């Protein structure tokens, strides 16, 4: 996934404390730091969590927010 985003090479991966339903990790490599998110899912709750986050990022950008995550 990191290589596909243009962030190749060796890296370390560490969990970020404080996440609730989702798991968040920090990847650090030579010249980059990135957050990776693993979305919680369960058959009884079919919500598209990534889709909801992407929709909010689009909304925030349209509203003028300049610092956006790269999904």
């Amino acid at each position: 996934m990191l290589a596909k985003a243009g962030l190749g090479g060796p890296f370390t991966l560490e969990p970020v404390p404080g996440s609730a339903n989702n798991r968040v990790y920090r990847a650090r490599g030579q010249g980059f730091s990135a957050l990776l998110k693993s979305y919680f899912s369960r058959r009884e709750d079919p919500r598209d969590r990534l889709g909801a986050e992407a929709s909010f990022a689009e909304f925030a950008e349209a509203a003028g927010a300049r610092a956006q995550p790269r999904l």
Side-chain angles (χ1 to χ4, degrees):
M1 182 172 27
L2 288 171
K4 191 173 183 179
L7 305 172
F11 63 91
T12 60
L13 191 63
E14 56 193 63
V16 174
S19 42
N21 288 332
N22 304 311
R23 301 290 179 250
V24 180
Y25 303 90
R26 180 177 303 282
R28 295 177 197 254
Q30 188 159 2
F32 75 87
S33 178
L35 287 181
L36 306 176
K37 191 169 189 179
S38 173
Y39 293 92
F40 172 80
S41 67
R42 160 175 81 183
R43 266 185 274 174
E44 301 83 30
D45 184 1
R47 287 181 285 174
D48 177 7
R49 295 171 189 271
L50 174 59
E53 194 158 331
S55 292
F56 177 76
E58 289 174 12
F59 167 79
E61 185 175 11
R66 298 292 169 240
Q68 291 295 320
R70 186 168 54 160
L71 301 176

